[in-house]
Amino acid sequence: GAVVSQHPSWVICKSGTSVKIECRSLDFQATTMFWYRQFPKQSLMLMATSNEGSKATYEQGVEKDKFLINHASLTLSTLTVTSAHPEDSSFYICSARDVLAGTADTQYFGPGTRLTVL
Amino acid sequence: AQKVTQAQTEISVVEKEDVTLDCVYETRDTTYYLFWYKQPPSGELVFLIRRNSFDEQNEISGRYSWNFQKSTSSFNFTITASQVVDSAVYFCAGGGGSQGNLIFGKGTKLSVKP
């Protein structure tokens, strides 16, 4: 149980284009999902908290107009990197909480999406 | 403010050695959760353990064991008889609760050599 998928697993795009990353909880409902970014050999940095049916809460320093988050259902959240630039190249990881489980505080992570902007 | 400190950046051991990864979590919250995750070279974070701040019992799962001491804010992770497959970056994280936000440490890269 508690499987989270991400799609695509990797993407290469040209500078200026937009990229959408999907995060799905496969066998549970997730009212809250989280988006992280991880640069090489560094830790995970929380970008935003995504709540189903409401606006995402962004961490300080994260541009909400650049990183659009939509959480339209209990099993799907999307992150769109708009007008991507080479500095946006990173490993993006989502996580989800199974709010109906006794371990609702535990985050289960997707496999990550490696974004390379040329 | 919350802070997770993993003082060991890299550890290298030989197979079958025991190894302990350190973690210190600082917070003003009286109720919180602590986690350990494993990140192998593939990149996917694997959940290992969750511990709440009220439970100071040590936990053992196979070759893995965890020692939580609230008085020192430490949540250390020991791998007994390490194996090459244990090679990965291990992250300690703290937080959780109603907000769910997790703060991650910088990670400890463990290399187990045959």
Side-chain angles (χ1 to χ4, degrees):
Chain A
V3 178
V4 177
S5 71
Q6 269 184 253
H7 178 79
S9 56
W10 60 269
V11 57
I12 301 173
C13 69
K14 293 182 179 180
S15 186
T17 60
S18 294
V19 175
K20 180 186 283 188
I21 303 170
E22 291 185 350
C23 177
R24 294 182 185 272
S25 56
L26 297 185
D27 51 2
F28 65 97
Q29 294 182 332
T31 57
T32 305
M33 290 183 171
F34 304 87
W35 287 95
Y36 295 84
R37 181 168 52 185
Q38 185 181 31
F39 291 109
K41 298 187 178 181
Q42 294 190 23
S43 187
L44 282 74
M45 297 300 296
L46 179 65
M47 298 175 66
T49 301
S50 167
N51 292 300
E52 186 263 338
S54 64
K55 292 183 179 180
T57 302
Y58 290 82
E59 294 300 300
Q60 192 173 7
V62 178
E63 300 175 58
K64 62 180 181 180
D65 294 330
K66 181 169 185 60
F67 299 100
L68 301 179
I69 292 174
N70 183 277
H71 193 159
S73 77
L74 287 172
T75 59
L76 173 64
S77 176
T78 60
L79 167 68
T80 301
V81 183
T82 61
S83 187
H85 290 284
E87 57 266 30
D88 298 324
S89 298
S90 186
F91 191 52
Y92 292 86
I93 311 173
C94 73
S95 71
R97 297 198 303 163
D98 184 351
V99 293
L100 297 180
T103 57
D105 45 274
T106 300
Q107 292 184 28
Y108 296 95
F109 286 81
T113 297
R114 192 163 302 281
L115 170 64
T116 302
V117 185
L118 302 176
Chain B
Q2 302 163 325
K3 183 179 178 182
V4 179
T5 302
Q6 293 181 255
Q8 305 145 308
T9 304
E10 292 192 42
I11 301 176
S12 183
V13 298
V14 177
E15 206 169 19
K16 298 185 182 178
E17 283 186 21
D18 297 346
V19 59
T20 295
L21 309 181
D22 300 332
C23 174
V24 174
Y25 178 60
E26 297 171 62
T27 180
R28 291 182 179 177
D29 294 335
T30 54
T31 302
Y32 53 87
Y33 295 88
L34 295 170
F35 303 82
W36 276 95
Y37 289 90
K38 174 183 179 180
Q39 187 176 42
S42 62
E44 182 167 1
L45 278 157
V46 179
F47 166 73
L48 296 178
I49 190 171
R50 156 188 169 271
R51 174 53 49 92
N52 72 52
S53 54
F54 291 102
D55 185 359
E56 289 197 66
Q57 276 193 329
N58 291 340
E59 183 158 343
I60 299 175
S61 176
R63 296 185 297 109
Y64 296 169
S65 63
W66 292 270
N67 177 267
F68 172 48
Q69 294 191 359
K70 194 168 186 177
S71 60
T72 57
S73 303
S74 67
F75 186 42
N76 297 337
F77 171 32
T78 298
I79 301 175
T80 303
S82 60
Q83 299 176 1
V84 173
V85 293
D86 295 328
S87 297
V89 179
Y90 291 86
F91 289 98
C92 178
S98 59
Q99 288 272 333
N101 293 5
L102 285 183
I103 304 298
F104 280 81
K106 293 186 176 181
T108 298
K109 182 178 180 180
L110 173 64
S111 298
V112 182
K113 303 186 187 306

